[in-house]
């Protein structure tokens, strides 16, 4: 099967969001860690540490939003709140020369290894092969493993046997964590991609979701906080 997809430069998108927020009057801090969050009904106080200078400062607010992606449970622990929100999975992709695996468009196919849905995506001079979906922890290194690379190659070779792709064909590999909501007894590939929002005192937590829907997620949460305040 073939399909259409969109592409984005995630680093530049993040920067654009931050710059837009600053233009609207927001104060933005980089390389700053939240050490502790004191939660109360009338507001909250966050102890911050500048990870470059080591300076610490307490900031008071009427509401605090925790938007930590795969690191949500760690942030909630610093606020004294229950964990168990997130069961992250790691997705790995590899890049091979397009001459070794040519495609005129994005292709979806079931992996002959285990039947999972996978894809090939054309990139200038290259072809992307993806993706894996394995349980992962935020504390572990977020990088492609040799086993994942082999799985992706075997899957692509199963679709196009004459390609004969090997590890020497891999130009690049990368991995990321999906901040998926926790659920019991499910496999990583079928875990929900929906988001969850909760308020506990003056602290709001938003978790789950995907980059594709980040604006609608922000609008939903922003409207709720504005209503509560």
């Amino acid at each position: 099967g073939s399909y259409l997809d969109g592409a984005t430069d995630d680093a530049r998108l993040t920067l654009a969001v931050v710059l837009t927020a600053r233009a609207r009057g927001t104060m933005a801090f980089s390389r700053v860690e939240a050490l502790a969050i004191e939660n109360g009904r009338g507001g909250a106080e966050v102890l911050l540490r500048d990870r470059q200078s080591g300076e610490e400062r307490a900031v008071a607010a009427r509401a605090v939003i925790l938007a930590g992606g795969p690191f949500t449970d760690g942030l909630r622990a610093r606020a004294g709140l229950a964990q168990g929100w997130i069961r992250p999975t790691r997705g790995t992709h590899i890049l091979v020369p397009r001459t070794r695996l040519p495609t005129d468009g994005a292709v979806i196919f079931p992996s002959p290894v285990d039947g999972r849905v996978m894809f090939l995506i054309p990139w200038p001079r290259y072809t992307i092969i993806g993706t894996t979906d394995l349980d992962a922890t935020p504390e572990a290194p977020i990088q492609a493993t040799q086993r994942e690379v082999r799985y992706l190659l075997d899957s692509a070779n199963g679709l196009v046997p004459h390609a004969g792709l090997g590890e020497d064909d891999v130009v690049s590999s990368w991995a990321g964590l999906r901040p998926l909501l926790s659920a019991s007894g499910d496999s990583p590939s079928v875990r929900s991609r929906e988001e969850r929002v909760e308020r506990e005192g003056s602290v709001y937590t938003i978790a789950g979701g995907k980059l594709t829907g980040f604006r609608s997620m922000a609008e939903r949460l922003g409207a709720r906080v504005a209503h509560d305040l």
Side-chain angles (χ1 to χ4, degrees):
S2 64
Y3 72 108
L4 300 178
D5 206 344
T8 183
D9 184 324
D10 53 358
R12 294 190 68 85
L13 176 62
T14 302
L15 180 60
V17 171
V18 173
L19 293 177
T20 302
R22 289 185 61 182
R24 302 285 179 89
T26 298
M27 297 176 66
F29 298 92
S30 180
R31 300 178 180 87
V32 173
E33 179 181 10
L35 299 176
I37 303 165
E38 294 294 331
N39 183 12
R41 288 195 172 275
E45 185 174 272
V46 183
L47 179 61
L48 302 175
R49 179 175 63 194
D50 187 313
R51 298 192 66 170
Q52 288 187 308
S53 68
E55 177 187 359
E56 295 186 5
R57 175 181 300 181
V59 177
R62 293 174 64 191
V64 170
I65 295 171
L66 305 183
F71 309 101
T72 294
D73 283 333
L75 273 178
R76 286 180 58 82
R78 298 180 188 200
L81 301 174
Q83 287 95 74
W85 273 53
I86 295 292
R87 287 186 64 189
T89 65
R90 184 176 65 251
T92 290
H93 304 74
I94 59 175
L95 204 65
V96 299
R98 200 164 178 185
T99 54
R100 298 288 289 116
L101 188 63
T103 174
D104 292 330
V107 178
I108 56 174
F109 67 99
S111 167
V113 176
D114 57 8
R116 287 184 58 256
V117 174
M118 298 183 59
F119 54 74
L120 307 177
I121 297 180
W123 208 249
R125 297 187 295 137
Y126 302 101
T127 297
I128 298 173
I129 306 172
T131 178
T132 61
D133 208 354
L134 302 171
D135 281 311
T137 61
E139 295 77 22
I142 307 172
Q143 60 190 34
T145 64
Q146 186 175 8
R147 182 178 179 181
E148 287 175 287
V149 171
R150 189 69 256 171
Y151 165 79
L152 295 172
L153 290 171
D154 290 344
S155 297
N157 283 331
L159 177 69
V160 189
H162 65 266
L165 296 170
E167 293 183 16
D168 290 342
D169 293 307
V170 178
V171 175
S172 176
S173 67
W174 66 94
L177 294 183
R178 303 179 185 89
L180 304 183
L181 297 177
S182 180
S184 59
D186 59 1
S187 69
S189 295
V190 301
R191 206 162 292 157
S192 173
R193 266 63 171 171
E194 297 301 314
E195 72 268 15
R196 173 184 173 190
V197 176
E198 297 287 348
R199 176 188 179 184
E200 294 154 292
S202 298
V203 175
Y204 296 77
T205 302
I206 183 167
K210 299 183 69 176
L211 176 66
T212 315
F214 85 97
R215 286 187 60 134
S216 62
M217 291 169 62
E219 290 171 0
R220 173 187 172 194
L221 178 57
R224 177 169 177 179
V225 174
H227 176 271
D228 292 347
L229 293 181

